[in-house]
Amino acid sequence: TWGGHLAIAPTPAAEIMPLPDDIDGRLTAGLVLAQVGYNGAMRPARTGPGALVVVVGDGLVGQYAAQVSRARGADVLLVGRRTDRLAAAARHSATEVLDARTQDLAAAVRARRPEGADVVIDTSSTAAGIRAAAALLRRDGELVLLGWYPEGENLLDAFWFIAGNRELAVHF
């Protein structure tokens, strides 16, 4: 299996941040995931007060991205499939949560914003998930891809965007 977050990686000294000696290294293992969520959520220009940000995925990256988006003033709808993670998101990360097993995300977004979301942050790591996420966006929305996407898989079909008369900014 690929274990990118577990591998030893030679890194330039300027990119390493020392941690206090009294912090257990096991507690810091998730920091790289926090960084991925933070970096992805800081990029969209349309995130701010009054914006609707949809975060697809209730794992650590999605939770962190939701927290940052919310801190930037956005209304954050986090969608996932794990009851415990959705409960954590409702307490700490998102303005609202949606259980994808029982609720229709597209209908929920349309009910809040008929024109679509300002930003969608996808952590699903599938082409089908990306297409569904992009369909939630308003015409000039921003799509942020924060998953691990299989090499060779067609993630974005430009003709789908052209046919839908969409403009799209994508952040990887």
Side-chain angles (χ1 to χ4, degrees), residues 15 52 60 75 92 120:
E15 294 179 18
L52 175 61
L60 290 174
D75 293 323
H92 306 291
V120 176

Side-chain angles (χ1 to χ4, degrees), residues 22-116:
D22 60 344
I23 293 181
D24 183 339
R26 292 174 293 179
L27 298 177
T28 64
L31 288 178
V32 70
L33 299 175
Q35 178 197 16
V36 170
Y38 174 85
N39 288 344
M42 287 301 291
R43 291 182 186 209
R46 288 171 178 79
T47 299
L52 175 61
V53 174
V54 176
V55 177
V56 179
D58 55 13
L60 290 174
V61 172
Q63 297 279 351
Y64 294 130
Q67 289 175 19
V68 171
S69 298
R70 191 169 177 188
R72 292 183 67 194
D75 293 323
V76 179
L77 175 61
L78 183 139
V79 60
R81 297 177 176 276
R82 302 264 312 259
T83 304
D84 56 334
R85 293 178 181 181
L86 290 170
R91 285 192 310 274
H92 306 291
S93 303
T95 311
E96 293 182 72
V97 298
L98 186 140
D99 188 331
R101 297 170 298 174
T102 60
Q103 297 171 283
D104 181 342
L105 177 58
V109 170
R110 281 193 306 274
R112 287 159 183 78
R113 301 279 169 87
E115 70 280 6

Side-chain angles (χ1 to χ4, degrees), residues 89-163:
R91 285 192 310 274
H92 306 291
S93 303
T95 311
E96 293 182 72
V97 298
L98 186 140
D99 188 331
R101 297 170 298 174
T102 60
Q103 297 171 283
D104 181 342
L105 177 58
V109 170
R110 281 193 306 274
R112 287 159 183 78
R113 301 279 169 87
E115 70 280 6
D118 299 290
V119 176
V120 176
I121 300 174
D122 176 76
T123 69
S124 73
S125 301
T126 66
I130 293 170
R131 186 172 175 129
L136 301 172
L137 288 166
R138 69 183 206 187
R139 184 174 193 275
D140 59 349
E142 293 181 77
L143 178 63
V144 181
L145 304 179
L146 295 182
W148 173 251
Y149 303 97
E151 185 176 343
E153 187 171 344
N154 182 14
L155 299 177
L156 295 173
D157 183 346
F159 294 107
W160 181 76
F161 293 103
I162 293 167

